[in-house]
Amino acid sequence: YIPARGYYLIERTSDETISNVVGDCVTTFGSGGLKNTAEHLVLIDSTSGAQDEISISGGDWYAGINGDTNTQKASMERKNSTQSGSIAKNWASYTGQSSSALDAGGSIILGTPRGQNSVQ
């Protein structure tokens, strides 16, 4: 359940992926976790009606620093929630100057988990 104007955090592997923010859902690659490429996510309402979706059919996510390397990554953030999630130009990489979110090792995360995006 996501309240109106609310946030939902999906963490990969464990709830310690982001050590100082509680996640709403934890996934792993073998059991429904998000991949670095070719994803299709659908946000449904309580009647199973699709409210929004993003479909990346064959390539990388629209923004963020991604790929299979272990280099530092930035979150992909939605610019305008009233426009379709499947419009590539409606996404940008995290642009904030600082973040209070920390990874499992205590390093700063380039993103705003469970908070307002840095891009508008």
Side-chain angles (χ1 to χ4, degrees), residues 4-82:
R5 302 190 198 295
Y7 303 96
Y8 192 85
L9 174 60
I10 301 170
E11 289 187 88
R12 186 164 38 187
T13 310
S14 81
D15 194 29
E16 292 300 313
T17 302
I18 301 173
S19 62
N20 63 337
V21 180
V22 176
D24 296 290
C25 174
V26 176
T27 65
T28 59
F29 274 121
S31 61
L34 296 174
K35 298 177 290 199
N36 288 340
T37 60
E39 283 286 2
H40 183 177
L41 304 175
V42 181
L43 181 65
I44 59 171
D45 62 23
S46 61
T47 64
S48 297
Q51 292 299 307
D52 198 4
E53 68 182 293
I54 180 170
S55 183
I56 316 246
S57 59
D60 292 337
W61 291 96
Y62 295 137
I65 302 166
N66 57 50
D68 292 325
T69 65
N70 287 323
T71 58
Q72 192 172 33
K73 296 173 173 69
S75 290
M76 182 172 101
E77 299 183 350
R78 182 92 164 255
K79 291 180 182 179
N80 185 335
S81 63
T82 64

Side-chain angles (χ1 to χ4, degrees), residues 62-64 75-79 88-95 119:
Y62 295 137
S75 290
M76 182 172 101
E77 299 183 350
R78 182 92 164 255
K79 291 180 182 179
K89 291 181 181 180
N90 195 26
W91 295 91
S93 298
Y94 170 79
T95 60
V119 297

Side-chain angles (χ1 to χ4, degrees), residues 17-20 72-74 94 96-111 113:
T17 302
I18 301 173
S19 62
N20 63 337
Q72 192 172 33
K73 296 173 173 69
Y94 170 79
Q97 298 301 310
S98 64
S99 173
S100 60
L102 303 173
D103 68 17
S107 297
I108 293 175
I109 291 174
L110 301 178

